Amino acid sequence: YVEAGNQRQMEKLPLRFSVQRSDKELGYLQYKDIDIYYKPVKVTPTMRLAYDICVFDYGVLTADNISLFLSCTGRVCVAGSKAWEYGDLRWSLDILKKEEATFLVPFSHKKEHPVFGDFLNRDSFFFPALNADMFSRVPSNKNIYKKLCQSVHFDGKKKVSTKK
């Protein structure tokens, strides 16, 4: 997992949870067997070979990073559904409506779901159950995890380094 945006939230993970390894100079930690890089890192081809899946978290999708997102395989958009995030979400949905992408919209109430309109008809649009520890699996999200793995063409047989 690479926190590729400027959000730097993973750096705070050891404040709440016990991590296996940590290197502040590299901006690296390991949590639940997931390698997490929270400082800007250039991912080399050799580094990519070490992982079955590399997850790049760009933070909020904007005109500045949308081309990076679209260049990725297995695109997953984890959207915020708070009132002040809706503008960013709407922009992302408008840009990505013709693109192959999987959408996760956590923290939303069922009454808000109609706001997503035609996107609700996609097989790749999910509303996962609330999970305070985003690296832990929630049994009620089992079908979402399965479909998410299918959407990024992961068969579940290899060790994965992934987020959300």
Side-chain angles (χ1 to χ4, degrees):
Y1 169 85
V2 178
E3 191 172 33
N6 295 324
Q7 61 271 38
R8 303 281 298 266
Q9 296 298 315
M10 294 298 107
E11 181 174 29
K12 301 171 191 164
L13 197 65
L15 299 174
R16 291 207 55 183
F17 302 101
S18 177
V19 298
Q20 293 158 283
R21 294 187 193 120
S22 177
D23 186 327
K24 287 185 179 187
E25 190 173 318
L26 287 175
Y28 164 84
L29 58 90
Q30 187 178 61
Y31 178 64
K32 295 190 178 183
D33 295 324
I34 299 170
D35 292 335
I36 299 169
Y37 298 88
Y38 57 83
K39 282 187 178 176
V41 62
K42 181 175 169 115
V43 179
T44 65
T46 304
M47 185 178 171
R48 281 186 189 262
L49 290 175
Y51 301 102
D52 295 314
I53 295 176
C54 290
V55 175
F56 297 89
D57 183 348
Y58 294 108
V60 176
L61 284 179
T62 66
D64 293 333
N65 64 17
I66 191 73
S67 61
L68 287 170
F69 178 76
L70 292 174
S71 72
C72 293
T73 57
R75 303 176 198 128
V76 178
C77 184
V78 180
S81 58
K82 297 177 198 84
W84 57 88
E85 295 172 318
Y86 185 72
D88 294 325
L89 174 58
R90 188 75 251 166
W91 182 86
S92 298
L93 291 174
D94 288 344
I95 294 293
L96 299 172
K97 66 177 133 191
K98 292 187 174 111
E99 301 294 336
E100 185 178 322
T102 299
F103 294 87
L104 300 175
V105 186
F107 314 112
S108 63
H109 192 276
K110 287 183 179 184
K111 290 180 182 177
E112 298 168 325
H113 295 180
V115 146
F116 301 101
D118 292 342
F119 283 92
L120 294 174
N121 298 326
R122 288 179 121 168
D123 289 337
S124 58
F125 206 89
F126 305 104
F127 298 98
L130 176 62
N131 186 13
D133 179 357
M134 65 187 173
F135 294 102
S136 291
R137 292 188 174 195
V138 175
S140 62
N141 288 336
K142 185 177 179 179
N143 286 335
I144 293 173
Y145 298 137
K146 183 178 178 181
K147 290 178 182 179
L148 180 59
C149 287
Q150 290 169 345
S151 75
V152 296
H153 311 292
F154 177 68
D155 62 10
K157 295 179 183 170
K158 299 177 183 176
K159 185 178 176 183
V160 178
S161 184
T162 188
K163 177 198 169 194
K164 298 182 187 178

PDB file of all heavy atoms in Angstrom, residues 55-80:
ATOM      1  N   VAL A  55      -1.210  -1.143  -4.138  1.00  0.00           N
ATOM      2  CA  VAL A  55      -2.344  -0.232  -4.010  1.00  0.00           C
ATOM      3  C   VAL A  55      -1.795   1.171  -3.835  1.00  0.00           C
ATOM      4  O   VAL A  55      -0.974   1.421  -2.951  1.00  0.00           O
ATOM      5  CB  VAL A  55      -3.226  -0.615  -2.798  1.00  0.00           C
ATOM      6  CG1 VAL A  55      -4.338   0.403  -2.604  1.00  0.00           C
ATOM      7  CG2 VAL A  55      -3.788  -2.014  -2.986  1.00  0.00           C
ATOM      8  N   PHE A  56      -2.244   2.091  -4.681  1.00  0.00           N
ATOM      9  CA  PHE A  56      -1.847   3.490  -4.592  1.00  0.00           C
ATOM     10  C   PHE A  56      -3.056   4.301  -4.158  1.00  0.00           C
ATOM     11  O   PHE A  56      -4.068   4.312  -4.833  1.00  0.00           O
ATOM     12  CB  PHE A  56      -1.345   4.007  -5.950  1.00  0.00           C
ATOM     13  CG  PHE A  56      -0.112   3.296  -6.420  1.00  0.00           C
ATOM     14  CD1 PHE A  56      -0.219   2.146  -7.171  1.00  0.00           C
ATOM     15  CD2 PHE A  56       1.128   3.782  -6.099  1.00  0.00           C
ATOM     16  CE1 PHE A  56       0.915   1.476  -7.587  1.00  0.00           C
ATOM     17  CE2 PHE A  56       2.266   3.116  -6.516  1.00  0.00           C
ATOM     18  CZ  PHE A  56       2.168   1.959  -7.264  1.00  0.00           C
ATOM     19  N   ASP A  57      -2.932   4.953  -3.039  1.00  0.00           N
ATOM     20  CA  ASP A  57      -4.014   5.778  -2.506  1.00  0.00           C
ATOM     21  C   ASP A  57      -3.704   7.222  -2.876  1.00  0.00           C
ATOM     22  O   ASP A  57      -2.802   7.833  -2.319  1.00  0.00           O
ATOM     23  CB  ASP A  57      -4.091   5.602  -0.991  1.00  0.00           C
ATOM     24  CG  ASP A  57      -5.238   6.369  -0.356  1.00  0.00           C
ATOM     25  OD1 ASP A  57      -5.841   7.225  -1.035  1.00  0.00           O
ATOM     26  OD2 ASP A  57      -5.514   6.116   0.822  1.00  0.00           O
ATOM     27  N   TYR A  58      -4.454   7.774  -3.817  1.00  0.00           N
ATOM     28  CA  TYR A  58      -4.214   9.134  -4.294  1.00  0.00           C
ATOM     29  C   TYR A  58      -4.967  10.178  -3.490  1.00  0.00           C
ATOM     30  O   TYR A  58      -4.913  11.356  -3.801  1.00  0.00           O
ATOM     31  CB  TYR A  58      -4.607   9.252  -5.773  1.00  0.00           C
ATOM     32  CG  TYR A  58      -3.730   8.424  -6.670  1.00  0.00           C
ATOM     33  CD1 TYR A  58      -4.206   7.271  -7.264  1.00  0.00           C
ATOM     34  CD2 TYR A  58      -2.409   8.787  -6.906  1.00  0.00           C
ATOM     35  CE1 TYR A  58      -3.406   6.497  -8.078  1.00  0.00           C
ATOM     36  CE2 TYR A  58      -1.593   8.015  -7.711  1.00  0.00           C
ATOM     37  CZ  TYR A  58      -2.093   6.880  -8.290  1.00  0.00           C
ATOM     38  OH  TYR A  58      -1.303   6.111  -9.089  1.00  0.00           O
ATOM     39  N   GLY A  59      -5.698   9.756  -2.470  1.00  0.00           N
ATOM     40  CA  GLY A  59      -6.504  10.721  -1.724  1.00  0.00           C
ATOM     41  C   GLY A  59      -7.693  11.110  -2.576  1.00  0.00           C
ATOM     42  O   GLY A  59      -8.269  10.287  -3.280  1.00  0.00           O
ATOM     43  N   VAL A  60      -8.040  12.353  -2.559  1.00  0.00           N
ATOM     44  CA  VAL A  60      -9.170  12.843  -3.349  1.00  0.00           C
ATOM     45  C   VAL A  60      -8.764  12.902  -4.820  1.00  0.00           C
ATOM     46  O   VAL A  60      -7.710  13.454  -5.160  1.00  0.00           O
ATOM     47  CB  VAL A  60      -9.598  14.247  -2.858  1.00  0.00           C
ATOM     48  CG1 VAL A  60     -10.700  14.813  -3.741  1.00  0.00           C
ATOM     49  CG2 VAL A  60     -10.053  14.184  -1.409  1.00  0.00           C
ATOM     50  N   LEU A  61      -9.582  12.315  -5.689  1.00  0.00           N
ATOM     51  CA  LEU A  61      -9.309  12.404  -7.120  1.00  0.00           C
ATOM     52  C   LEU A  61      -9.541  13.833  -7.590  1.00  0.00           C
ATOM     53  O   LEU A  61     -10.568  14.440  -7.289  1.00  0.00           O
ATOM     54  CB  LEU A  61     -10.219  11.460  -7.910  1.00  0.00           C
ATOM     55  CG  LEU A  61      -9.855   9.992  -7.865  1.00  0.00           C
ATOM     56  CD1 LEU A  61     -10.865   9.184  -8.672  1.00  0.00           C
ATOM     57  CD2 LEU A  61      -8.456   9.746  -8.377  1.00  0.00           C
ATOM     58  N   THR A  62      -8.567  14.340  -8.323  1.00  0.00           N
ATOM     59  CA  THR A  62      -8.649  15.699  -8.865  1.00  0.00           C
ATOM     60  C   THR A  62      -8.157  15.682 -10.302  1.00  0.00           C
ATOM     61  O   THR A  62      -7.641  14.666 -10.781  1.00  0.00           O
ATOM     62  CB  THR A  62      -7.754  16.671  -8.053  1.00  0.00           C
ATOM     63  OG1 THR A  62      -6.377  16.291  -8.249  1.00  0.00           O
ATOM     64  CG2 THR A  62      -8.100  16.666  -6.573  1.00  0.00           C
ATOM     65  N   ALA A  63      -8.257  16.801 -10.962  1.00  0.00           N
ATOM     66  CA  ALA A  63      -7.736  16.920 -12.336  1.00  0.00           C
ATOM     67  C   ALA A  63      -6.235  16.656 -12.361  1.00  0.00           C
ATOM     68  O   ALA A  63      -5.700  16.195 -13.360  1.00  0.00           O
ATOM     69  CB  ALA A  63      -8.054  18.307 -12.891  1.00  0.00           C
ATOM     70  N   ASP A  64      -5.551  16.907 -11.245  1.00  0.00           N
ATOM     71  CA  ASP A  64      -4.095  16.706 -11.185  1.00  0.00           C
ATOM     72  C   ASP A  64      -3.690  15.238 -11.095  1.00  0.00           C
ATOM     73  O   ASP A  64      -2.599  14.877 -11.513  1.00  0.00           O
ATOM     74  CB  ASP A  64      -3.499  17.450  -9.976  1.00  0.00           C
ATOM     75  CG  ASP A  64      -3.599  18.954 -10.119  1.00  0.00           C
ATOM     76  OD1 ASP A  64      -3.635  19.451 -11.266  1.00  0.00           O
ATOM     77  OD2 ASP A  64      -3.663  19.626  -9.068  1.00  0.00           O
ATOM     78  N   ASN A  65      -4.546  14.380 -10.537  1.00  0.00           N
ATOM     79  CA  ASN A  65      -4.128  12.988 -10.378  1.00  0.00           C
ATOM     80  C   ASN A  65      -5.029  11.969 -11.090  1.00  0.00           C
ATOM     81  O   ASN A  65      -4.762  10.780 -11.034  1.00  0.00           O
ATOM     82  CB  ASN A  65      -3.981  12.629  -8.897  1.00  0.00           C
ATOM     83  CG  ASN A  65      -5.280  12.700  -8.124  1.00  0.00           C
ATOM     84  OD1 ASN A  65      -6.368  12.708  -8.686  1.00  0.00           O
ATOM     85  ND2 ASN A  65      -5.165  12.761  -6.806  1.00  0.00           N
ATOM     86  N   ILE A  66      -6.052  12.422 -11.768  1.00  0.00           N
ATOM     87  CA  ILE A  66      -6.973  11.484 -12.423  1.00  0.00           C
ATOM     88  C   ILE A  66      -6.273  10.653 -13.496  1.00  0.00           C
ATOM     89  O   ILE A  66      -6.539   9.463 -13.649  1.00  0.00           O
ATOM     90  CB  ILE A  66      -8.227  12.201 -13.000  1.00  0.00           C
ATOM     91  CG1 ILE A  66      -9.297  11.176 -13.432  1.00  0.00           C
ATOM     92  CG2 ILE A  66      -7.874  13.106 -14.161  1.00  0.00           C
ATOM     93  CD1 ILE A  66     -10.012  10.521 -12.308  1.00  0.00           C
ATOM     94  N   SER A  67      -5.309  11.228 -14.210  1.00  0.00           N
ATOM     95  CA  SER A  67      -4.615  10.460 -15.249  1.00  0.00           C
ATOM     96  C   SER A  67      -3.771   9.347 -14.621  1.00  0.00           C
ATOM     97  O   SER A  67      -3.663   8.257 -15.191  1.00  0.00           O
ATOM     98  CB  SER A  67      -3.756  11.363 -16.127  1.00  0.00           C
ATOM     99  OG  SER A  67      -2.763  11.999 -15.360  1.00  0.00           O
ATOM    100  N   LEU A  68      -3.195   9.585 -13.439  1.00  0.00           N
ATOM    101  CA  LEU A  68      -2.456   8.527 -12.742  1.00  0.00           C
ATOM    102  C   LEU A  68      -3.406   7.398 -12.358  1.00  0.00           C
ATOM    103  O   LEU A  68      -3.103   6.221 -12.531  1.00  0.00           O
ATOM    104  CB  LEU A  68      -1.789   9.082 -11.480  1.00  0.00           C
ATOM    105  CG  LEU A  68      -0.582   9.974 -11.688  1.00  0.00           C
ATOM    106  CD1 LEU A  68      -0.183  10.646 -10.379  1.00  0.00           C
ATOM    107  CD2 LEU A  68       0.575   9.174 -12.247  1.00  0.00           C
ATOM    108  N   PHE A  69      -4.571   7.779 -11.833  1.00  0.00           N
ATOM    109  CA  PHE A  69      -5.570   6.790 -11.443  1.00  0.00           C
ATOM    110  C   PHE A  69      -6.006   5.965 -12.656  1.00  0.00           C
ATOM    111  O   PHE A  69      -6.083   4.744 -12.592  1.00  0.00           O
ATOM    112  CB  PHE A  69      -6.775   7.484 -10.800  1.00  0.00           C
ATOM    113  CG  PHE A  69      -7.881   6.550 -10.404  1.00  0.00           C
ATOM    114  CD1 PHE A  69      -7.771   5.762  -9.272  1.00  0.00           C
ATOM    115  CD2 PHE A  69      -9.041   6.453 -11.163  1.00  0.00           C
ATOM    116  CE1 PHE A  69      -8.796   4.890  -8.902  1.00  0.00           C
ATOM    117  CE2 PHE A  69     -10.062   5.596 -10.795  1.00  0.00           C
ATOM    118  CZ  PHE A  69      -9.938   4.810  -9.657  1.00  0.00           C
ATOM    119  N   LEU A  70      -6.268   6.629 -13.771  1.00  0.00           N
ATOM    120  CA  LEU A  70      -6.730   5.925 -14.969  1.00  0.00           C
ATOM    121  C   LEU A  70      -5.651   5.041 -15.582  1.00  0.00           C
ATOM    122  O   LEU A  70      -5.964   4.105 -16.318  1.00  0.00           O
ATOM    123  CB  LEU A  70      -7.258   6.928 -15.993  1.00  0.00           C
ATOM    124  CG  LEU A  70      -8.550   7.637 -15.583  1.00  0.00           C
ATOM    125  CD1 LEU A  70      -8.901   8.724 -16.595  1.00  0.00           C
ATOM    126  CD2 LEU A  70      -9.692   6.651 -15.410  1.00  0.00           C
ATOM    127  N   SER A  71      -4.389   5.299 -15.276  1.00  0.00           N
ATOM    128  CA  SER A  71      -3.305   4.471 -15.806  1.00  0.00           C
ATOM    129  C   SER A  71      -3.144   3.179 -15.018  1.00  0.00           C
ATOM    130  O   SER A  71      -2.421   2.278 -15.441  1.00  0.00           O
ATOM    131  CB  SER A  71      -1.984   5.252 -15.817  1.00  0.00           C
ATOM    132  OG  SER A  71      -1.497   5.426 -14.493  1.00  0.00           O
ATOM    133  N   CYS A  72      -3.812   3.065 -13.881  1.00  0.00           N
ATOM    134  CA  CYS A  72      -3.718   1.868 -13.040  1.00  0.00           C
ATOM    135  C   CYS A  72      -4.627   0.763 -13.561  1.00  0.00           C
ATOM    136  O   CYS A  72      -5.660   1.031 -14.167  1.00  0.00           O
ATOM    137  CB  CYS A  72      -4.125   2.192 -11.607  1.00  0.00           C
ATOM    138  SG  CYS A  72      -3.000   3.309 -10.767  1.00  0.00           S
ATOM    139  N   THR A  73      -4.243  -0.462 -13.296  1.00  0.00           N
ATOM    140  CA  THR A  73      -5.125  -1.592 -13.567  1.00  0.00           C
ATOM    141  C   THR A  73      -5.863  -1.891 -12.273  1.00  0.00           C
ATOM    142  O   THR A  73      -5.364  -1.615 -11.193  1.00  0.00           O
ATOM    143  CB  THR A  73      -4.329  -2.833 -14.012  1.00  0.00           C
ATOM    144  OG1 THR A  73      -3.373  -3.140 -12.998  1.00  0.00           O
ATOM    145  CG2 THR A  73      -3.637  -2.602 -15.340  1.00  0.00           C
ATOM    146  N   GLY A  74      -7.041  -2.451 -12.375  1.00  0.00           N
ATOM    147  CA  GLY A  74      -7.805  -2.758 -11.168  1.00  0.00           C
ATOM    148  C   GLY A  74      -8.143  -1.510 -10.387  1.00  0.00           C
ATOM    149  O   GLY A  74      -7.809  -1.391  -9.226  1.00  0.00           O
ATOM    150  N   ARG A  75      -8.795  -0.549 -11.014  1.00  0.00           N
ATOM    151  CA  ARG A  75      -9.111   0.733 -10.369  1.00  0.00           C
ATOM    152  C   ARG A  75     -10.211   0.586  -9.332  1.00  0.00           C
ATOM    153  O   ARG A  75     -11.270   0.053  -9.625  1.00  0.00           O
ATOM    154  CB  ARG A  75      -9.563   1.740 -11.409  1.00  0.00           C
ATOM    155  CG  ARG A  75      -8.571   1.969 -12.496  1.00  0.00           C
ATOM    156  CD  ARG A  75      -9.156   2.917 -13.521  1.00  0.00           C
ATOM    157  NE  ARG A  75      -8.411   2.799 -14.743  1.00  0.00           N
ATOM    158  CZ  ARG A  75      -8.958   2.592 -15.923  1.00  0.00           C
ATOM    159  NH1 ARG A  75     -10.260   2.526 -16.059  1.00  0.00           N
ATOM    160  NH2 ARG A  75      -8.200   2.500 -16.980  1.00  0.00           N
ATOM    161  N   VAL A  76      -9.944   1.094  -8.130  1.00  0.00           N
ATOM    162  CA  VAL A  76     -10.931   1.079  -7.056  1.00  0.00           C
ATOM    163  C   VAL A  76     -11.017   2.486  -6.499  1.00  0.00           C
ATOM    164  O   VAL A  76     -10.025   3.055  -6.064  1.00  0.00           O
ATOM    165  CB  VAL A  76     -10.536   0.093  -5.931  1.00  0.00           C
ATOM    166  CG1 VAL A  76     -11.563   0.134  -4.807  1.00  0.00           C
ATOM    167  CG2 VAL A  76     -10.387  -1.324  -6.488  1.00  0.00           C
ATOM    168  N   CYS A  77     -12.196   3.040  -6.521  1.00  0.00           N
ATOM    169  CA  CYS A  77     -12.431   4.390  -6.005  1.00  0.00           C
ATOM    170  C   CYS A  77     -13.173   4.257  -4.676  1.00  0.00           C
ATOM    171  O   CYS A  77     -14.297   3.785  -4.639  1.00  0.00           O
ATOM    172  CB  CYS A  77     -13.263   5.191  -7.009  1.00  0.00           C
ATOM    173  SG  CYS A  77     -13.518   6.895  -6.534  1.00  0.00           S
ATOM    174  N   VAL A  78     -12.493   4.633  -3.583  1.00  0.00           N
ATOM    175  CA  VAL A  78     -13.123   4.628  -2.263  1.00  0.00           C
ATOM    176  C   VAL A  78     -13.587   6.053  -2.021  1.00  0.00           C
ATOM    177  O   VAL A  78     -12.778   6.962  -1.885  1.00  0.00           O
ATOM    178  CB  VAL A  78     -12.154   4.175  -1.159  1.00  0.00           C
ATOM    179  CG1 VAL A  78     -12.844   4.175   0.194  1.00  0.00           C
ATOM    180  CG2 VAL A  78     -11.597   2.788  -1.486  1.00  0.00           C
ATOM    181  N   ALA A  79     -14.882   6.227  -2.005  1.00  0.00           N
ATOM    182  CA  ALA A  79     -15.452   7.575  -1.995  1.00  0.00           C
ATOM    183  C   ALA A  79     -15.922   7.992  -0.614  1.00  0.00           C
ATOM    184  O   ALA A  79     -16.406   7.169   0.162  1.00  0.00           O
ATOM    185  CB  ALA A  79     -16.626   7.622  -2.969  1.00  0.00           C
ATOM    186  N   GLY A  80     -15.776   9.264  -0.332  1.00  0.00           N
ATOM    187  CA  GLY A  80     -16.326   9.837   0.889  1.00  0.00           C
ATOM    188  C   GLY A  80     -17.767  10.233   0.636  1.00  0.00           C
ATOM    189  O   GLY A  80     -18.127  10.647  -0.464  1.00  0.00           O
TER     190      GLY A  80
END
